[in-house]
Structure formats: C-alpha cells, structure tokens
Amino acid sequence: MAARLGRDDHDDLSESSEINVTPFIDVMLVLLIIFMIAAPLSTVDIPVELPVAVADAPERTSDPVFITITEDLGLSVGETETDFDRLYIDVGIATGQKRDTRIYIRADKSVPYGEFIRVMNVLRADGFLKVGLVGLDEAVMEQAEGGARSGTEEP
C-alpha cells in the first residue's frame, strides 16, 4: 500500500496512480450475498412435505398376469407356483412370449426389498419392461375397516 508523505497544495486535481478498490469491494460483497442465498437453494436435501397424489387406477387388461411373492418368499405366476429358476419360463407361458404385456407384481409387505428386486431383475433380463406394482388404496381400506366396524357394533 502506498502513502503520500508530502503535501502539495497546488496539485489537488492531479492524477492519482492508486487503484480505487471501493467498487471492486462492493461488487464482491453483492456476489457473496447472492451466492449465500443461492447455494442453499441448489441442494436436494431440503425437507419438503409433498402432497399425496391420488390417481385413478389404470385400466386392466381382461386377463392380467400377476406375480405373487408370499410372506414365506414363495413365488407364483397367476395360480401356478414357481421358483426363481423357472420364473422366466412361467412368465413366458402366461404372456405367450409377448414382451409388451403388462405384468403386475403383488408382494406381501414383509417381503425384503432385495427379493422384490430379484424378481424385477429376472423380468427385465427376459425383456418384460412393463411392470406394475399392486398395492392397497388407503382410502378404500379405511372405508372397508369403517364399514366392518360399524356392521359389528350393537345399537
């Protein structure tokens, strides 16, 4: 940093060779504030309560193909019991080797996620990419439980 030691009264309007850093500092502070505000908004880890999307169930074909995974990890295609080694064969028979057939997977809620993915991998490897997941609609379950409770109560 430079300092002027002598004072010349007659050179008040003379050129100064010092850099004026005040505008530079102002710009840097504005950029700092912009980045401080924008950085947290660009992260994905922001907790958000998303609304529940309730969509109408898609139309089912007249003869859907269901793969069921039971609580004891048993497999069945339709009504035919099978295992992982024969799964692709039984699915091929049930669909008539039509790879564009939609397949529905029903799994007990206690089935480990890894076993579910194992079934999905067998289907994908065999070329069946249209896979639907079957679950219970919460609103229908609440109505059924409410109806069962109201039907069993004595007046």
Side-chain angles (χ1 to χ4, degrees):
M1 201 161 184
R4 190 180 294 179
L5 297 176
R7 219 176 147 195
D8 295 331
D9 290 335
H10 63 278
D11 287 343
D12 285 341
L13 299 176
S14 65
E15 290 185 20
S16 174
S17 61
E18 297 175 8
I19 297 174
N20 188 2
V21 294
T22 305
F24 177 72
I25 291 172
D26 290 344
V27 169
M28 294 307 290
L29 288 174
V30 168
L31 288 174
L32 177 68
I33 291 170
I34 289 172
F35 283 116
M36 286 174 57
I37 292 171
L41 297 177
S42 65
T43 61
V44 183
D45 296 333
I46 298 173
V48 176
E49 284 189 43
L50 297 174
V52 177
V54 180
D56 294 333
E59 294 181 27
R60 287 192 186 175
T61 58
S62 60
D63 191 20
V65 176
F66 285 101
I67 297 176
T68 305
I69 308 171
T70 59
E71 184 178 7
D72 61 348
L73 302 181
L75 280 174
S76 63
V77 177
E79 299 295 322
T80 307
E81 289 190 21
T82 188
D83 57 6
F84 281 105
D85 297 331
R86 283 194 45 89
L87 180 62
Y88 72 96
I89 295 170
D90 290 334
V91 170
I93 292 170
T95 60
Q97 294 296 331
K98 295 180 182 174
R99 300 291 191 259
D100 62 339
T101 303
R102 181 167 301 276
I103 299 171
Y104 296 97
I105 298 179
R106 301 183 312 165
D108 191 87
K109 64 182 177 181
S110 64
V111 171
Y113 186 67
E115 295 298 317
F116 174 77
I117 293 298
R118 190 173 167 196
V119 171
M120 296 282 290
N121 288 338
V122 169
L123 293 173
R124 185 185 317 149
D126 202 30
F128 293 100
L129 302 177
K130 293 184 177 182
V131 177
L133 307 177
V134 178
L136 297 177
D137 188 8
E138 190 173 358
V140 173
M141 287 303 297
E142 288 175 2
Q143 289 176 354
E145 288 176 1
R149 285 186 203 140
S150 63
T152 57
E153 293 178 3
E154 296 288 328

Short mmCIF file of all heavy atoms in Angstrom, two decimals, residues 35-96:
data_model
loop_
_atom_site.label_atom_id
_atom_site.label_comp_id
_atom_site.label_asym_id
_atom_site.label_seq_id
_atom_site.Cartn_x
_atom_site.Cartn_y
_atom_site.Cartn_z
N PHE A 35 -24.46 -15.56 -3.70
CA PHE A 35 -24.09 -16.96 -3.53
C PHE A 35 -24.53 -17.52 -2.18
O PHE A 35 -24.88 -18.69 -2.07
CB PHE A 35 -22.58 -17.15 -3.72
CG PHE A 35 -22.17 -17.12 -5.16
CD1 PHE A 35 -21.34 -16.12 -5.63
CD2 PHE A 35 -22.63 -18.07 -6.05
CE1 PHE A 35 -20.97 -16.09 -6.96
CE2 PHE A 35 -22.27 -18.05 -7.38
CZ PHE A 35 -21.43 -17.04 -7.84
N MET A 36 -24.55 -16.68 -1.16
CA MET A 36 -25.02 -17.16 0.15
C MET A 36 -26.51 -17.49 0.10
O MET A 36 -26.97 -18.40 0.78
CB MET A 36 -24.74 -16.10 1.22
CG MET A 36 -23.28 -16.01 1.61
SD MET A 36 -22.91 -14.65 2.73
CE MET A 36 -23.98 -15.00 4.08
N ILE A 37 -27.26 -16.78 -0.70
CA ILE A 37 -28.70 -17.05 -0.82
C ILE A 37 -28.95 -18.20 -1.78
O ILE A 37 -29.79 -19.07 -1.53
CB ILE A 37 -29.44 -15.77 -1.28
CG1 ILE A 37 -29.39 -14.73 -0.18
CG2 ILE A 37 -30.88 -16.09 -1.66
CD1 ILE A 37 -29.90 -13.37 -0.59
N ALA A 38 -28.21 -18.26 -2.89
CA ALA A 38 -28.48 -19.26 -3.92
C ALA A 38 -27.94 -20.64 -3.57
O ALA A 38 -28.51 -21.64 -4.00
CB ALA A 38 -27.88 -18.80 -5.25
N ALA A 39 -26.87 -20.74 -2.82
CA ALA A 39 -26.26 -22.04 -2.52
C ALA A 39 -27.20 -22.98 -1.77
O ALA A 39 -27.33 -24.14 -2.15
CB ALA A 39 -24.95 -21.86 -1.78
N PRO A 40 -27.86 -22.55 -0.72
CA PRO A 40 -28.78 -23.49 -0.05
C PRO A 40 -29.96 -23.91 -0.91
O PRO A 40 -30.49 -25.00 -0.74
CB PRO A 40 -29.27 -22.71 1.18
CG PRO A 40 -28.26 -21.65 1.41
CD PRO A 40 -27.70 -21.32 0.06
N LEU A 41 -30.36 -23.08 -1.86
CA LEU A 41 -31.48 -23.43 -2.72
C LEU A 41 -31.12 -24.48 -3.76
O LEU A 41 -32.00 -25.14 -4.29
CB LEU A 41 -32.01 -22.18 -3.42
CG LEU A 41 -32.56 -21.09 -2.50
CD1 LEU A 41 -32.98 -19.88 -3.33
CD2 LEU A 41 -33.72 -21.60 -1.69
N SER A 42 -29.84 -24.64 -4.05
CA SER A 42 -29.43 -25.57 -5.08
C SER A 42 -29.21 -26.98 -4.54
O SER A 42 -28.91 -27.88 -5.30
CB SER A 42 -28.16 -25.09 -5.76
OG SER A 42 -27.10 -25.09 -4.82
N THR A 43 -29.37 -27.20 -3.26
CA THR A 43 -29.19 -28.54 -2.71
C THR A 43 -30.49 -29.33 -2.81
O THR A 43 -31.58 -28.77 -2.87
CB THR A 43 -28.75 -28.49 -1.24
OG1 THR A 43 -29.76 -27.83 -0.49
CG2 THR A 43 -27.44 -27.76 -1.08
N VAL A 44 -30.37 -30.66 -2.79
CA VAL A 44 -31.52 -31.54 -2.91
C VAL A 44 -32.00 -32.01 -1.54
O VAL A 44 -33.06 -32.56 -1.40
CB VAL A 44 -31.15 -32.76 -3.79
CG1 VAL A 44 -32.33 -33.67 -4.01
CG2 VAL A 44 -30.61 -32.28 -5.11
N ASP A 45 -31.23 -31.77 -0.51
CA ASP A 45 -31.53 -32.28 0.81
C ASP A 45 -32.49 -31.41 1.60
O ASP A 45 -32.49 -31.44 2.83
CB ASP A 45 -30.23 -32.45 1.61
CG ASP A 45 -29.32 -33.48 0.97
OD1 ASP A 45 -29.85 -34.37 0.29
OD2 ASP A 45 -28.11 -33.39 1.17
N ILE A 46 -33.30 -30.62 0.94
CA ILE A 46 -34.25 -29.77 1.63
C ILE A 46 -35.47 -30.61 1.98
O ILE A 46 -36.10 -31.21 1.11
CB ILE A 46 -34.67 -28.58 0.74
CG1 ILE A 46 -33.44 -27.72 0.44
CG2 ILE A 46 -35.74 -27.75 1.42
CD1 ILE A 46 -33.71 -26.63 -0.57
N PRO A 47 -35.83 -30.70 3.27
CA PRO A 47 -37.01 -31.49 3.63
C PRO A 47 -38.29 -30.79 3.19
O PRO A 47 -38.50 -29.62 3.49
CB PRO A 47 -36.92 -31.58 5.15
CG PRO A 47 -36.09 -30.41 5.57
CD PRO A 47 -35.15 -30.12 4.43
N VAL A 48 -39.11 -31.49 2.45
CA VAL A 48 -40.36 -30.95 1.93
C VAL A 48 -41.44 -31.99 2.11
O VAL A 48 -41.24 -33.17 1.84
CB VAL A 48 -40.21 -30.62 0.41
CG1 VAL A 48 -41.52 -30.16 -0.16
CG2 VAL A 48 -39.15 -29.59 0.21
N GLU A 49 -42.60 -31.56 2.58
CA GLU A 49 -43.74 -32.45 2.65
C GLU A 49 -44.48 -32.36 1.33
O GLU A 49 -45.12 -31.37 1.02
CB GLU A 49 -44.66 -32.05 3.80
CG GLU A 49 -44.13 -32.42 5.16
CD GLU A 49 -45.18 -32.20 6.23
OE1 GLU A 49 -46.35 -32.55 6.00
OE2 GLU A 49 -44.81 -31.68 7.27
N LEU A 50 -44.37 -33.41 0.54
CA LEU A 50 -45.03 -33.44 -0.76
C LEU A 50 -46.47 -33.88 -0.61
O LEU A 50 -46.78 -34.73 0.24
CB LEU A 50 -44.29 -34.39 -1.70
CG LEU A 50 -42.85 -34.00 -2.03
CD1 LEU A 50 -42.19 -35.09 -2.85
CD2 LEU A 50 -42.81 -32.69 -2.77
N PRO A 51 -47.37 -33.34 -1.40
CA PRO A 51 -48.77 -33.77 -1.32
C PRO A 51 -48.94 -35.17 -1.87
O PRO A 51 -48.16 -35.63 -2.70
CB PRO A 51 -49.51 -32.75 -2.19
CG PRO A 51 -48.47 -32.26 -3.13
CD PRO A 51 -47.16 -32.30 -2.39
N VAL A 52 -49.96 -35.85 -1.38
CA VAL A 52 -50.26 -37.20 -1.85
C VAL A 52 -50.96 -37.10 -3.19
O VAL A 52 -51.94 -36.37 -3.33
CB VAL A 52 -51.15 -37.94 -0.83
CG1 VAL A 52 -51.52 -39.31 -1.35
CG2 VAL A 52 -50.43 -38.04 0.50
N ALA A 53 -50.45 -37.81 -4.16
CA ALA A 53 -51.06 -37.82 -5.48
C ALA A 53 -52.00 -39.02 -5.56
O ALA A 53 -51.59 -40.15 -5.37
CB ALA A 53 -50.00 -37.93 -6.56
N VAL A 54 -53.24 -38.74 -5.80
CA VAL A 54 -54.23 -39.81 -5.93
C VAL A 54 -54.65 -39.85 -7.39
O VAL A 54 -55.31 -38.94 -7.88
CB VAL A 54 -55.44 -39.54 -5.02
CG1 VAL A 54 -56.46 -40.64 -5.17
CG2 VAL A 54 -55.00 -39.41 -3.58
N ALA A 55 -54.24 -40.88 -8.05
CA ALA A 55 -54.57 -41.04 -9.47
C ALA A 55 -55.51 -42.21 -9.63
O ALA A 55 -55.52 -43.14 -8.83
CB ALA A 55 -53.30 -41.28 -10.28
N ASP A 56 -56.31 -42.14 -10.66
CA ASP A 56 -57.19 -43.25 -10.95
C ASP A 56 -56.36 -44.46 -11.36
O ASP A 56 -55.30 -44.33 -11.98
CB ASP A 56 -58.16 -42.89 -12.09
CG ASP A 56 -59.12 -41.79 -11.67
OD1 ASP A 56 -59.39 -41.68 -10.45
OD2 ASP A 56 -59.58 -41.06 -12.55
N ALA A 57 -56.83 -45.62 -11.00
CA ALA A 57 -56.12 -46.85 -11.36
C ALA A 57 -56.16 -47.03 -12.87
O ALA A 57 -57.18 -46.76 -13.51
CB ALA A 57 -56.75 -48.04 -10.66
N PRO A 58 -55.04 -47.47 -13.46
CA PRO A 58 -55.06 -47.68 -14.91
C PRO A 58 -55.97 -48.85 -15.26
O PRO A 58 -56.23 -49.73 -14.44
CB PRO A 58 -53.60 -48.01 -15.24
CG PRO A 58 -53.03 -48.50 -13.96
CD PRO A 58 -53.77 -47.81 -12.86
N GLU A 59 -56.47 -48.81 -16.48
CA GLU A 59 -57.35 -49.89 -16.94
C GLU A 59 -56.57 -51.20 -17.02
O GLU A 59 -55.47 -51.25 -17.55
CB GLU A 59 -57.93 -49.55 -18.31
CG GLU A 59 -58.86 -48.37 -18.29
CD GLU A 59 -59.42 -48.09 -19.66
OE1 GLU A 59 -59.52 -49.04 -20.47
OE2 GLU A 59 -59.77 -46.95 -19.92
N ARG A 60 -57.16 -52.23 -16.47
CA ARG A 60 -56.52 -53.55 -16.54
C ARG A 60 -56.96 -54.28 -17.80
O ARG A 60 -58.07 -54.08 -18.30
CB ARG A 60 -56.93 -54.40 -15.33
CG ARG A 60 -56.30 -53.97 -14.06
CD ARG A 60 -56.52 -55.03 -13.03
NE ARG A 60 -56.03 -54.60 -11.74
CZ ARG A 60 -56.18 -55.28 -10.64
NH1 ARG A 60 -56.82 -56.43 -10.66
NH2 ARG A 60 -55.71 -54.84 -9.50
N THR A 61 -56.08 -55.13 -18.24
CA THR A 61 -56.45 -55.96 -19.38
C THR A 61 -57.45 -57.00 -18.89
O THR A 61 -57.63 -57.22 -17.70
CB THR A 61 -55.20 -56.65 -19.96
OG1 THR A 61 -54.58 -57.42 -18.94
CG2 THR A 61 -54.21 -55.62 -20.47
N SER A 62 -58.09 -57.68 -19.82
CA SER A 62 -59.11 -58.65 -19.44
C SER A 62 -58.52 -59.83 -18.67
O SER A 62 -59.17 -60.43 -17.83
CB SER A 62 -59.85 -59.15 -20.68
OG SER A 62 -58.92 -59.76 -21.56
N ASP A 63 -57.28 -60.19 -18.97
CA ASP A 63 -56.65 -61.32 -18.31
C ASP A 63 -55.25 -60.90 -17.84
O ASP A 63 -54.25 -61.23 -18.49
CB ASP A 63 -56.56 -62.52 -19.26
CG ASP A 63 -56.17 -63.79 -18.55
OD1 ASP A 63 -56.33 -63.85 -17.31
OD2 ASP A 63 -55.69 -64.72 -19.22
N PRO A 64 -55.14 -60.18 -16.71
CA PRO A 64 -53.83 -59.69 -16.28
C PRO A 64 -52.94 -60.84 -15.78
O PRO A 64 -53.42 -61.86 -15.32
CB PRO A 64 -54.17 -58.73 -15.14
CG PRO A 64 -55.46 -59.21 -14.61
CD PRO A 64 -56.20 -59.79 -15.78
N VAL A 65 -51.63 -60.62 -15.87
CA VAL A 65 -50.65 -61.59 -15.39
C VAL A 65 -50.11 -61.07 -14.06
O VAL A 65 -49.54 -59.98 -14.00
CB VAL A 65 -49.50 -61.78 -16.40
CG1 VAL A 65 -48.45 -62.72 -15.86
CG2 VAL A 65 -50.04 -62.27 -17.72
N PHE A 66 -50.32 -61.85 -13.00
CA PHE A 66 -49.86 -61.47 -11.68
C PHE A 66 -48.72 -62.37 -11.25
O PHE A 66 -48.79 -63.59 -11.39
CB PHE A 66 -50.99 -61.61 -10.65
CG PHE A 66 -52.01 -60.52 -10.72
CD1 PHE A 66 -53.23 -60.74 -11.35
CD2 PHE A 66 -51.77 -59.29 -10.17
CE1 PHE A 66 -54.18 -59.76 -11.42
CE2 PHE A 66 -52.72 -58.29 -10.22
CZ PHE A 66 -53.93 -58.52 -10.85
N ILE A 67 -47.68 -61.76 -10.70
CA ILE A 67 -46.63 -62.50 -10.00
C ILE A 67 -46.81 -62.17 -8.53
O ILE A 67 -46.85 -61.01 -8.14
CB ILE A 67 -45.23 -62.08 -10.48
CG1 ILE A 67 -45.06 -62.42 -11.95
CG2 ILE A 67 -44.16 -62.77 -9.64
CD1 ILE A 67 -43.74 -61.95 -12.53
N THR A 68 -46.93 -63.21 -7.72
CA THR A 68 -47.17 -63.02 -6.29
C THR A 68 -45.96 -63.52 -5.50
O THR A 68 -45.48 -64.62 -5.74
CB THR A 68 -48.43 -63.79 -5.85
OG1 THR A 68 -49.52 -63.37 -6.68
CG2 THR A 68 -48.76 -63.51 -4.41
N ILE A 69 -45.50 -62.68 -4.58
CA ILE A 69 -44.43 -63.06 -3.66
C ILE A 69 -45.07 -63.13 -2.28
O ILE A 69 -45.53 -62.13 -1.75
CB ILE A 69 -43.27 -62.06 -3.66
CG1 ILE A 69 -42.78 -61.78 -5.07
CG2 ILE A 69 -42.14 -62.57 -2.77
CD1 ILE A 69 -41.78 -60.65 -5.16
N THR A 70 -45.12 -64.33 -1.71
CA THR A 70 -45.78 -64.51 -0.42
C THR A 70 -44.84 -64.19 0.73
O THR A 70 -43.65 -63.95 0.53
CB THR A 70 -46.30 -65.95 -0.28
OG1 THR A 70 -45.20 -66.85 -0.40
CG2 THR A 70 -47.33 -66.26 -1.35
N GLU A 71 -45.38 -64.23 1.93
CA GLU A 71 -44.62 -63.89 3.13
C GLU A 71 -43.43 -64.83 3.33
O GLU A 71 -42.36 -64.41 3.76
CB GLU A 71 -45.55 -63.95 4.35
CG GLU A 71 -44.91 -63.52 5.63
CD GLU A 71 -45.90 -63.55 6.78
OE1 GLU A 71 -47.04 -64.02 6.60
OE2 GLU A 71 -45.51 -63.11 7.87
N ASP A 72 -43.60 -66.10 2.96
CA ASP A 72 -42.52 -67.08 3.11
C ASP A 72 -41.63 -67.12 1.86
O ASP A 72 -40.91 -68.09 1.64
CB ASP A 72 -43.07 -68.46 3.43
CG ASP A 72 -43.97 -68.99 2.33
OD1 ASP A 72 -44.35 -68.22 1.43
OD2 ASP A 72 -44.31 -70.19 2.38
N LEU A 73 -41.67 -66.06 1.03
CA LEU A 73 -40.87 -65.88 -0.19
C LEU A 73 -41.19 -66.89 -1.27
O LEU A 73 -40.37 -67.16 -2.15
CB LEU A 73 -39.37 -65.90 0.12
CG LEU A 73 -38.88 -64.86 1.13
CD1 LEU A 73 -37.38 -64.98 1.32
CD2 LEU A 73 -39.27 -63.47 0.71
N GLY A 74 -42.40 -67.43 -1.24
CA GLY A 74 -42.85 -68.30 -2.32
C GLY A 74 -43.28 -67.46 -3.50
O GLY A 74 -43.78 -66.35 -3.35
N LEU A 75 -43.08 -67.99 -4.69
CA LEU A 75 -43.43 -67.28 -5.92
C LEU A 75 -44.54 -68.02 -6.65
O LEU A 75 -44.59 -69.25 -6.63
CB LEU A 75 -42.22 -67.22 -6.86
CG LEU A 75 -41.18 -66.16 -6.59
CD1 LEU A 75 -40.00 -66.36 -7.52
CD2 LEU A 75 -41.75 -64.79 -6.79
N SER A 76 -45.40 -67.26 -7.30
CA SER A 76 -46.39 -67.86 -8.18
C SER A 76 -46.68 -66.90 -9.31
O SER A 76 -46.68 -65.68 -9.14
CB SER A 76 -47.66 -68.22 -7.41
OG SER A 76 -48.26 -67.06 -6.90
N VAL A 77 -46.93 -67.47 -10.48
CA VAL A 77 -47.34 -66.70 -11.65
C VAL A 77 -48.78 -67.09 -11.89
O VAL A 77 -49.07 -68.22 -12.28
CB VAL A 77 -46.45 -67.02 -12.87
CG1 VAL A 77 -46.95 -66.27 -14.09
CG2 VAL A 77 -45.01 -66.69 -12.59
N GLY A 78 -49.67 -66.17 -11.67
CA GLY A 78 -51.10 -66.49 -11.71
C GLY A 78 -51.40 -67.44 -10.56
O GLY A 78 -51.16 -67.14 -9.41
N GLU A 79 -51.92 -68.61 -10.86
CA GLU A 79 -52.21 -69.62 -9.85
C GLU A 79 -51.12 -70.71 -9.79
O GLU A 79 -51.19 -71.62 -8.98
CB GLU A 79 -53.56 -70.28 -10.15
CG GLU A 79 -54.73 -69.31 -10.12
CD GLU A 79 -54.96 -68.72 -8.73
OE1 GLU A 79 -54.82 -69.45 -7.73
OE2 GLU A 79 -55.28 -67.52 -8.67
N THR A 80 -50.13 -70.61 -10.67
CA THR A 80 -49.08 -71.63 -10.76
C THR A 80 -47.91 -71.28 -9.86
O THR A 80 -47.30 -70.21 -10.02
CB THR A 80 -48.57 -71.73 -12.22
OG1 THR A 80 -49.67 -71.91 -13.09
CG2 THR A 80 -47.58 -72.87 -12.37
N GLU A 81 -47.59 -72.17 -8.93
CA GLU A 81 -46.43 -71.94 -8.07
C GLU A 81 -45.17 -72.18 -8.86
O GLU A 81 -45.10 -73.06 -9.71
CB GLU A 81 -46.49 -72.84 -6.84
CG GLU A 81 -47.57 -72.44 -5.87
CD GLU A 81 -47.46 -73.19 -4.55
OE1 GLU A 81 -46.37 -73.70 -4.23
OE2 GLU A 81 -48.48 -73.25 -3.85
N THR A 82 -44.14 -71.37 -8.57
CA THR A 82 -42.87 -71.47 -9.29
C THR A 82 -41.74 -71.09 -8.35
O THR A 82 -41.96 -70.81 -7.18
CB THR A 82 -42.90 -70.57 -10.55
OG1 THR A 82 -41.74 -70.82 -11.32
CG2 THR A 82 -42.98 -69.11 -10.19
N ASP A 83 -40.51 -71.09 -8.88
CA ASP A 83 -39.36 -70.61 -8.13
C ASP A 83 -38.55 -69.69 -9.04
O ASP A 83 -38.91 -69.47 -10.20
CB ASP A 83 -38.52 -71.78 -7.60
CG ASP A 83 -38.03 -72.71 -8.69
OD1 ASP A 83 -38.24 -72.40 -9.88
OD2 ASP A 83 -37.44 -73.75 -8.36
N PHE A 84 -37.46 -69.13 -8.53
CA PHE A 84 -36.70 -68.17 -9.31
C PHE A 84 -36.10 -68.78 -10.58
O PHE A 84 -35.95 -68.11 -11.58
CB PHE A 84 -35.59 -67.54 -8.46
CG PHE A 84 -36.09 -66.46 -7.56
CD1 PHE A 84 -36.23 -66.68 -6.21
CD2 PHE A 84 -36.43 -65.21 -8.07
CE1 PHE A 84 -36.70 -65.68 -5.39
CE2 PHE A 84 -36.89 -64.20 -7.25
CZ PHE A 84 -37.03 -64.44 -5.90
N ASP A 85 -35.76 -70.05 -10.54
CA ASP A 85 -35.17 -70.70 -11.71
C ASP A 85 -36.16 -70.86 -12.85
O ASP A 85 -35.80 -70.82 -14.02
CB ASP A 85 -34.58 -72.06 -11.33
CG ASP A 85 -33.45 -71.94 -10.33
OD1 ASP A 85 -32.76 -70.89 -10.35
OD2 ASP A 85 -33.25 -72.86 -9.52
N ARG A 86 -37.44 -71.05 -12.53
CA ARG A 86 -38.48 -71.26 -13.55
C ARG A 86 -39.32 -70.01 -13.78
O ARG A 86 -40.25 -70.04 -14.57
CB ARG A 86 -39.41 -72.40 -13.13
CG ARG A 86 -38.83 -73.77 -13.32
CD ARG A 86 -39.91 -74.83 -13.21
NE ARG A 86 -41.15 -74.55 -13.94
CZ ARG A 86 -41.37 -74.89 -15.21
NH1 ARG A 86 -40.45 -75.52 -15.89
NH2 ARG A 86 -42.52 -74.63 -15.78
N LEU A 87 -39.01 -68.92 -13.11
CA LEU A 87 -39.87 -67.73 -13.18
C LEU A 87 -39.99 -67.22 -14.62
O LEU A 87 -41.10 -66.98 -15.10
CB LEU A 87 -39.34 -66.63 -12.28
CG LEU A 87 -40.14 -65.33 -12.25
CD1 LEU A 87 -41.55 -65.58 -11.75
CD2 LEU A 87 -39.46 -64.29 -11.40
N TYR A 88 -38.88 -67.09 -15.32
CA TYR A 88 -38.95 -66.55 -16.68
C TYR A 88 -39.69 -67.49 -17.63
O TYR A 88 -40.35 -67.05 -18.56
CB TYR A 88 -37.55 -66.21 -17.20
CG TYR A 88 -36.69 -67.40 -17.54
CD1 TYR A 88 -36.60 -67.85 -18.85
CD2 TYR A 88 -35.96 -68.06 -16.56
CE1 TYR A 88 -35.81 -68.93 -19.17
CE2 TYR A 88 -35.16 -69.13 -16.87
CZ TYR A 88 -35.09 -69.57 -18.17
OH TYR A 88 -34.31 -70.65 -18.49
N ILE A 89 -39.64 -68.79 -17.37
CA ILE A 89 -40.36 -69.75 -18.21
C ILE A 89 -41.87 -69.61 -17.98
O ILE A 89 -42.66 -69.53 -18.93
CB ILE A 89 -39.90 -71.19 -17.90
CG1 ILE A 89 -38.43 -71.36 -18.31
CG2 ILE A 89 -40.78 -72.21 -18.62
CD1 ILE A 89 -37.82 -72.66 -17.84
N ASP A 90 -42.28 -69.57 -16.71
CA ASP A 90 -43.70 -69.47 -16.39
C ASP A 90 -44.29 -68.12 -16.82
O ASP A 90 -45.44 -68.05 -17.26
CB ASP A 90 -43.92 -69.70 -14.89
CG ASP A 90 -43.66 -71.15 -14.50
OD1 ASP A 90 -43.79 -72.03 -15.37
OD2 ASP A 90 -43.31 -71.40 -13.32
N VAL A 91 -43.50 -67.05 -16.72
CA VAL A 91 -43.98 -65.76 -17.20
C VAL A 91 -44.13 -65.78 -18.72
O VAL A 91 -45.10 -65.25 -19.26
CB VAL A 91 -43.04 -64.62 -16.74
CG1 VAL A 91 -43.38 -63.31 -17.42
CG2 VAL A 91 -43.11 -64.45 -15.23
N GLY A 92 -43.18 -66.41 -19.40
CA GLY A 92 -43.28 -66.53 -20.86
C GLY A 92 -44.50 -67.31 -21.28
O GLY A 92 -45.17 -66.97 -22.25
N ILE A 93 -44.83 -68.37 -20.54
CA ILE A 93 -46.03 -69.17 -20.85
C ILE A 93 -47.29 -68.35 -20.59
O ILE A 93 -48.22 -68.34 -21.40
CB ILE A 93 -46.03 -70.47 -20.02
CG1 ILE A 93 -44.91 -71.39 -20.49
CG2 ILE A 93 -47.38 -71.17 -20.10
CD1 ILE A 93 -44.67 -72.58 -19.57
N ALA A 94 -47.33 -67.63 -19.46
CA ALA A 94 -48.52 -66.86 -19.11
C ALA A 94 -48.77 -65.70 -20.07
O ALA A 94 -49.92 -65.33 -20.31
CB ALA A 94 -48.39 -66.34 -17.68
N THR A 95 -47.70 -65.12 -20.61
CA THR A 95 -47.86 -63.98 -21.52
C THR A 95 -47.86 -64.38 -22.97
O THR A 95 -48.09 -63.53 -23.84
CB THR A 95 -46.73 -62.97 -21.29
OG1 THR A 95 -45.48 -63.60 -21.56
CG2 THR A 95 -46.76 -62.41 -19.89
N GLY A 96 -47.58 -65.62 -23.28
CA GLY A 96 -47.49 -66.05 -24.67
C GLY A 96 -46.27 -65.45 -25.36
O GLY A 96 -46.32 -65.19 -26.55
#
